[in-house]
Amino acid sequence: SLTRLAVPVAAATLLLAGCASTGDDDASPAAGDGEVTLLTEGKLTVCTNPPYEPFEYEEDGQVVGLDMDIVGAVAEDLGAELEIKITPFEGIQSGADLDSGNCDIVASGITITEEREAKMDFSDPYFDADQGLLVPAGSGIASVEELDGLTVGVQTATTGATFAADNALNVVEFEDLGLQIEALRNGTIDAVINDIAVLGPFASDDFEVGTTFPTGEQYGLGIKTGNTALLDAVNATLERIASDGTYEEIYTKYIGTAPSAG
Ligand code: ARG
């Protein structure tokens, strides 16, 4: 619809691209395929894997972040309360948490991949991502070639782990980003690979970003395969927050720049 043209460029591009690929011609998606049924009535249960700042991280005993604000908007539109469950990324990305009825939605900086699309339905994309390399400050490691003979920490079942495997790197797997960073700090690994948006903020006296690997990924929210009522509702919210300025507000709050500034 034409209202999308009024939203910030990056968000508009993402949402339009999403629409084009699904071929969804429904003008009011939330009312499209029947009523949304949630696992627990009145509650939108979301699985996520912190620490993954700025997308999901704990603050004052609460899980907050860009992803949490987005699913918060979905819950608001559904008139439901938001319930966050912390679970391993493995089951989030494999569709297991959705299939077993552990949660209605998985929101965890999840890259939309062909393999995962076979296991769950994805919303329209809401964030652009690339892989990155975090190394000890002053180490000067800045390419895949320079990782030869070194040990790289990756997060289990992520696209970063796939990237490392595709490049035949010598890896150690960690359950979450926090453990990856801790191992880099302890010197048990030489470098960390994960999404650049989460690694960038770790640049400090101790660490530097070695390089960005332009993998051209996009994040989506995952919904159980075939739950079109919920999928349509999620996409309707993404469209709503893109056009009313909420998405830009959320993005700026957590990323520090406006989405159109790239
Ligand atoms: N974007 C990457 C992937 O989908 C990493 C996501 C990890 N997310 C997290 N919350 N730990 O594989």
Side-chain angles (χ1 to χ4, degrees):
S1 76
L2 290 172
T3 55
R4 290 199 190 97
L5 297 175
V7 311
V9 176
T13 309
L14 290 177
L15 292 168
L16 288 168
C19 268
S21 66
T22 58
D24 189 351
D25 58 357
D26 193 332
S28 62
D33 290 278
E35 227 167 283
V36 172
T37 310
L38 300 172
L39 291 166
T40 306
E41 210 190 314
K43 261 189 192 170
L44 180 69
T45 310
V46 174
C47 284
T48 193
N49 179 247
Y52 211 68
E53 193 171 352
F55 301 97
E56 39 268 343
Y57 57 102
E58 290 180 72
E59 202 175 76
D60 304 326
Q62 287 236 114
V63 184
V64 298
L66 186 147
D67 288 344
M68 301 303 101
D69 279 10
I70 290 180
V71 289
V74 173
E76 191 186 320
D77 287 352
L78 290 172
E81 193 188 312
L82 181 63
E83 168 141 334
I84 306 295
K85 276 194 190 174
I86 296 177
T87 54
F89 190 70
E90 169 89 71
I92 287 177
Q93 62 81 43
S94 70
D97 280 316
L98 295 170
D99 290 342
S100 67
N102 202 20
C103 40
D104 296 298
I105 294 181
V106 285
S108 202
I110 308 163
T111 301
I112 302 169
T113 67
E114 228 172 275
E115 204 187 335
R116 291 171 180 167
E117 273 179 320
K119 297 170 185 163
M120 70 184 90
D121 289 342
F122 278 104
S123 72
D124 292 338
Y126 66 90
F127 194 86
D128 290 332
D130 289 304
Q131 291 305 303
L133 185 70
L134 191 73
V135 295
S139 71
I141 305 165
S143 67
V144 158
E145 292 71 34
E146 286 163 280
L147 292 170
D148 191 32
L150 301 182
T151 305
V152 182
V154 298
Q155 187 180 355
T156 306
T158 61
T159 49
T162 304
F163 178 85
D166 289 348
N167 287 280
L169 300 178
N170 179 24
V171 303
V172 179
E173 279 193 19
F174 296 89
E175 271 300 307
D176 67 43
L177 176 69
L179 297 172
Q180 276 183 287
I181 299 295
E182 195 182 304
L184 187 63
R185 202 179 293 282
N186 293 341
T188 53
I189 55 174
D190 301 299
V192 158
I193 290 180
N194 210 314
D195 297 22
I196 189 65
V198 299
L199 294 187
F202 282 102
S204 62
D205 287 350
D206 297 334
F207 304 129
E208 67 191 27
V209 170
T211 189
T212 298
F213 305 115
T215 47
E217 302 173 41
Q218 291 188 311
Y219 293 169
L221 301 175
I223 295 106
K224 189 175 179 176
T225 304
N227 189 349
T228 51
L230 184 54
L231 178 65
D232 288 349
V234 166
N235 283 332
T237 295
L238 288 176
E239 186 179 334
R240 196 262 298 166
I241 64 175
S243 52
D244 73 5
T246 304
Y247 177 81
E248 183 171 10
E249 211 172 277
I250 294 171
Y251 188 105
T252 306
K253 173 173 160 195
Y254 291 104
I255 305 299
T257 56
S260 48

